[in-house]
Amino acid sequence: MSVRRARPFIVAAAVATALALSQGCSMDKHMEKMDDNTSRMANELAGYRDYVKTLTEQMKVLADSLSMLQKMSTPMFAMVMSKLSEQPPASTPDIDDVLKGTPKPTQPDATEGPQK
Amino acid sequence: MISMLSLVAATLAATAQASPVVIRDHRCVQASIARAHQSITNYDAYSTLPGAKLEEKIPGFGSITLLNMIKSQARFTTQTTSATDGAVWVVLQPVNLTNAKNYPKFLLHCTSAYDSEKHFTHKCNLDKDKLHYGLDDFTSQLDVTADALNCPAGQTYLDYTLTLDGNSRDVDAIKRAVTKPLGAIIGPIVGALFDEEAFFRTYYKNFYEGWAGSL
């Protein structure tokens, strides 16, 4: 086969080679980009891992505080309940006393006034 | 505990303002008009109604009685099945106080009248000329109608409005008497429950609901 007759094949082969090379180059760039993304995601995940670790530690502190508060509040509520438990009411005027009685001014509270 | 703390926070927020308490309520009940009239004018039975005692439940510890109606007495000048006019004497015991001086007490002038077979009105006003403690004013109006528009057939419509003014000085004195035995740290926390606005509003809302529920 003469060179003249083989030229189209040579050109075709050259074009095919050029195309393959250019595609290979593009693939390399794509792979590099993926590597960058993977690396960035790995960094972000590491950040999240630290954040979750800190959050877990803080929640543990909060749970301990709540537990301590509950332990402290139990005797407090028990004391409140015992001091505020129901007592029989004092004797009070009946309606007939009120209807026949003259208006009475509101009595000042005995707890008012200077403490001695 | 959380519910009590929320209530404390809510009452602390309400402490900032002292304005008349207004309660409005509309509801349908299964009872007849005559039954509602008989019940609302049966003042002697008020202290035995389910809403006569207001309690604060503390999960795991039981409940504290905040305010309890220990006396409700009536003297009528008119008492028929369709109209009443009388005086009603009410005494409330706050928490576990055993000194009657700190009991809210007041005399109401209450009337009721049928305007028609299908409607009656019941009104109460504080008698300011007689002994009263804890409240400076009290006005209530209940309109009861056989209302086919607002309620399912056979039910009765209740339209209730209550306006009352607590006396801040009296309520402060009650609060001091209740909280003094609790000490300087816990006392003020419990004292927050006794804001006069929240205190009487909650009590009378509970009382009215107890009465309406008993019909």
Side-chain angles (χ1 to χ4, degrees), chain A residues 76-77 79-81 83-87 89-90 92-96 98-99 101 103 106 109-112, chain B residues 1 4 53 61 63-65 70-71 73 75 87 89 93 96 98 101 103 129-130 133 170 173 176 181 186:
Chain A
M76 185 191 90
F77 276 112
M79 189 271 273
V80 170
M81 295 301 290
K83 291 207 171 181
L84 297 182
S85 63
E86 226 169 87
Q87 296 289 329
T92 51
D94 280 330
I95 187 167
D96 296 323
V98 179
L99 287 172
T106 302
D109 184 12
T111 58
E112 282 178 342
Chain B
M1 187 181 79
M4 188 175 183
K53 183 190 274 192
F61 292 94
S63 57
I64 296 174
T65 301
I70 55 168
K71 199 169 271 187
Q73 299 172 320
R75 292 293 177 269
W89 172 238
Q93 181 190 22
N96 59 352
T98 51
K101 180 188 69 182
Y103 291 1
D129 294 331
K130 297 292 184 189
Y133 182 84
D170 295 347
R176 277 197 302 277
I186 301 168

Side-chain angles (χ1 to χ4, degrees), chain B residues 13-150:
Chain B
T15 314
Q17 56 189 42
S19 50
V21 169
V22 180
I23 298 170
R24 286 197 63 95
D25 189 280
H26 312 268
R27 67 179 68 202
C28 300
V29 291
Q30 200 64 50
S32 66
I33 286 206
R35 163 81 183 115
H37 184 256
Q38 181 277 329
S39 177
I40 195 72
T41 56
N42 187 11
Y43 307 113
D44 290 339
Y46 274 18
S47 58
T48 62
L49 287 171
K53 183 190 274 192
L54 175 67
E55 291 177 305
E56 174 63 24
K57 287 189 174 59
I58 301 174
F61 292 94
S63 57
I64 296 174
T65 301
L66 293 180
L67 204 51
N68 185 21
M69 189 180 288
I70 55 168
K71 199 169 271 187
S72 54
Q73 299 172 320
R75 292 293 177 269
F76 289 96
T77 51
T78 306
Q79 188 176 22
T80 68
T81 51
S82 59
T84 59
D85 189 315
V88 183
W89 172 238
V90 176
V91 183
L92 308 166
Q93 181 190 22
V95 195
N96 59 352
L97 294 186
T98 51
N99 187 346
K101 180 188 69 182
N102 291 123
Y103 291 1
K105 43 182 107 52
F106 43 93
L107 188 73
L108 300 174
H109 175 225
C110 296
T111 58
S112 69
Y114 274 82
D115 301 331
S116 70
E117 282 183 1
K118 290 192 168 184
H119 175 256
F120 82 81
T121 304
H122 177 268
K123 294 177 181 175
C124 286
N125 291 294
L126 179 73
D127 187 338
K128 295 179 187 175
D129 294 331
K130 297 292 184 189
L131 169 65
H132 58 279
Y133 182 84
L135 290 177
D136 281 338
D137 208 355
F138 183 109
T139 307
S140 73
Q141 177 159 339
L142 174 70
D143 285 297
V144 182
T145 319
D147 195 323
L149 289 175
N150 289 311

